[in-house]
Amino acid sequence: MTTTTELLKGAAELFPGEVVTSAQVRHLDLPGAGRFALITLDNGFDHTKPTTFGPQSLANLNTAIDQVEKEAAAGEITGAGITGKPFIFAVGADLKGVELLGRHEDALAIGKGGHDVFRRLSSLAVPTFAYYNGAAMGGGVEAGLHCTYRTVSASVPAFSLPEVFLGLVPGWGGCTLLPNLIGADRAVTVIIENSLNQNRQLGGGQVYDLGIADALFDAADFLERSLAWTAAVLTGEIQVVRPEVDRGAAWDEAVARGRFIADSKVHGAAPAAYRALDIIAAAKNGDLGQGFDAEDAALADLIMGGELRSGIYAFNLVQKRGKRPAGAPDKSLARPLTKVGVVGAGLMASQLALLFARRLEVPVVLTDIDQERIDKGVGYVHGEIDKLLAKGRVGADKANRLKALVSGHLDKATAFGDADFVIEAVFEEMGVKQQVFAELEAVVRPDAVLATNTSSLSVSEMAEKLEHPERVVGFHFFNPVAVLPLLEIVRGSGTDDASLATAFAVAKKLKKTAVLVKDAPAFVVNRILTRFMGEVQNVIDEGTPVEVAEKAIEPLGLPMSPLVLLELVGPAIGLHVSETLHGAFPDRFKVSENLAAVVKAGKRGFYVYPDGNPARPELDPEVAALLTQGDSVLTEDQVRARVLDAVAEEIGLMLAEHIVAEPQDIDLCLITGAGWPFHLGGITPYLDREGISERVNGKKFLAPGVASVPA
């Protein structure tokens, strides 16, 4: 039989580039409680490179447990604990190693190796303690679950089991141990609901309230207080009493709730959530060994599946490529920013003003055509800051400072004369925007950057009549501004490197994911979504029932259906973008007469929501009366094939036009700008996996092993 040491040695040979975590054992004398062994996990880097578990790291922990196990058996220690380096406990498996696995047996070895090491923490001859001193995710959380007791720091900012979000299951004990510790319903919240809600994190207080940790201590003296608490537990002074877990109907109801959440989020399109729920359901009998075996099998199957590879690919795009934008100029060319101007004071402009003030903490001035609009815009920003204050997100002093930074002025010369960066957020019409830029050029400094938040118009054309077109740059945010991370930065034909570098520097300070985009109609996200939604609209116009067209897209597991997305964007904006793209590419982008009729009638969308339930949209009878349809009715499969073929064609053309540097930038844009699911990897891995890319374009978008299992 293969030993744990042999398993991990073989896995380590597959992953020579691992950032190795050490597991150092030191001994402490606990007052009244005897000698105690404390294992500290540390990869030798500061908190910006969190501690992970690759095979060698697991082997190191295994060796440390060997030592502690001997000491416990010999009666040399009364207890053992595990904690992390400053600010970090451990954030789980090293995904870079998972990407390299090409065989099912190697994937199975990773699951089994983690289980074999961690479960030793629960089988020592003395009680074990986990001290969650900092960020803990995935395998980090699971290592602690194998311990007898747990404490958590009140300042822990990120605690989660994010595996389902990526396309895995918590496979080193999470699916089995957590429901047996805190009950199935709370476990479903952590493992399924939080993961599928964009990897929602728990804070230290929530970890304690859920019952995952037995004690909560402040960060300042967290370890000292945890050790004092440990001594009290070991001496019997403190008795840890946990609520009894309900193993009756409540367990089954929790699993059913999890399936409802999974269905509503991924519509059966990604297997991870369902595999996790199967293990949680089976864990009801309390058989941990059976549960661990099921976790091993699920891990191996999912590691060798396309969804996980797409999930890791998407994770790397957001965490790495998103922080080092392809094609961005040398950041040393960026100019400093001491004041920002915003042209317009409507909702979008006001959201921008709030963001600039919060992130840059420099004066922000709005202008508009009358004082009433300006006052309303400034009032909106002040009101949002008051909400942050009420929620405890900012203190009173900070709130007052932020509000003092945001003001308005009717006169552009007074407002923007000393601004370094001025962005317009006015009506989406070329003549209006050209006029705004002409007025700005007359009053701003020669080196001030002029930015446009246009969603589809040509930045080059906007700047062509200016004396200094080199300082005009596209700066396209996505709505809602505070939620969606993407910022499409558009280089016009005359934009110089200094202006572009300044735009990227500003984006970084705004904590946005910036992608360099060529100046072309609708840029990236709106062009793809308009082709996508346009094809759905086309099949409806031709005769396919609305519900069939909508249901056809469900297997993709998108965050919302095409027509619900249209409602969010606004039918008028959708129509305007389709008209822009029709003007540029009339053979591929049609202007729907039905959509035009909906806009003309002033409808906010195609649906109404009886009882105010957003999960149950119904076609608005007034909209249904407006629709004029043909007699060509397609099936769901036919609709889906037609829509995805159109998207694959459009992406192929965009790459040929060099709209972005690589397919990875297309995916990064869709993930961060349109909420496209991680389990799809954006869109191109899915199109490759389903054979659509080759059918439409004659080749795959991505090389083998990129978002797929290595050949």
Side-chain angles (χ1 to χ4, degrees), residues 19 21 43 45-52 85 88-91 135:
V19 176
T21 296
N43 63 4
F45 294 89
D46 68 14
H47 67 280
T48 60
K49 185 167 277 191
T51 304
T52 53
K85 67 183 183 181
I88 304 289
F89 183 80
V91 296

Side-chain angles (χ1 to χ4, degrees), residues 402-413:
L402 289 176
K403 287 198 280 190
L405 289 173
V406 181
S407 61
H409 208 290
L410 265 174
D411 181 60
K412 288 187 177 66

Side-chain angles (χ1 to χ4, degrees), residues 127-332:
T128 51
F129 298 77
Y131 307 128
Y132 291 123
N133 64 300
M137 299 177 198
V141 170
E142 290 171 300
L145 292 177
H146 284 269
C147 293
T148 321
Y149 304 100
R150 285 154 296 281
T151 68
V152 66
S153 167
S155 68
V156 166
F159 185 105
S160 65
L161 290 171
E163 287 85 351
V164 167
F165 177 65
L166 294 171
L168 274 176
V169 299
W172 285 343
C175 286
T176 303
L177 293 173
L178 192 63
N180 278 291
L181 175 67
I182 63 173
D185 194 63
R186 288 179 166 188
V188 163
T189 296
V190 176
I191 295 170
I192 305 298
E193 187 173 13
N194 288 359
S195 289
L196 292 180
N197 277 300
Q198 295 299 307
N199 192 19
R200 182 188 294 155
Q201 300 294 313
L202 297 169
Q206 294 169 300
V207 173
Y208 173 69
D209 290 342
L210 284 167
I212 300 172
D214 301 302
L216 174 74
F217 300 116
D218 289 337
D221 54 356
F222 170 71
L223 188 56
E224 292 84 351
R225 293 187 64 187
S226 291
L227 291 168
W229 180 85
T230 297
V233 171
L234 291 174
T235 60
E237 181 185 338
I238 290 177
Q239 298 282 333
V240 174
V241 179
R242 301 182 183 124
E244 187 176 344
V245 171
D246 188 334
R247 299 182 185 278
W251 194 291
D252 301 327
E253 289 166 6
V255 173
R257 182 174 76 88
R259 294 193 192 283
F260 176 80
I261 292 166
D263 286 343
S264 67
K265 292 290 183 180
V266 299
H267 307 283
Y274 302 97
R275 291 295 293 267
L277 286 163
D278 288 344
I279 300 169
I280 293 170
K284 181 179 179 180
N285 64 11
D287 186 333
L288 301 185
Q290 179 188 46
F292 295 163
D293 289 343
E295 289 175 355
D296 286 342
L299 266 187
D301 291 347
L302 292 167
I303 284 172
M304 300 309 295
E307 286 80 9
L308 171 67
R309 304 304 170 126
S310 293
I312 295 174
Y313 165 81
F315 182 82
N316 288 335
L317 287 181
V318 172
Q319 295 299 320
K320 296 176 182 176
R321 192 179 186 92
K323 293 172 182 174
R324 292 187 288 275
D330 189 325
K331 59 186 179 184
S332 67

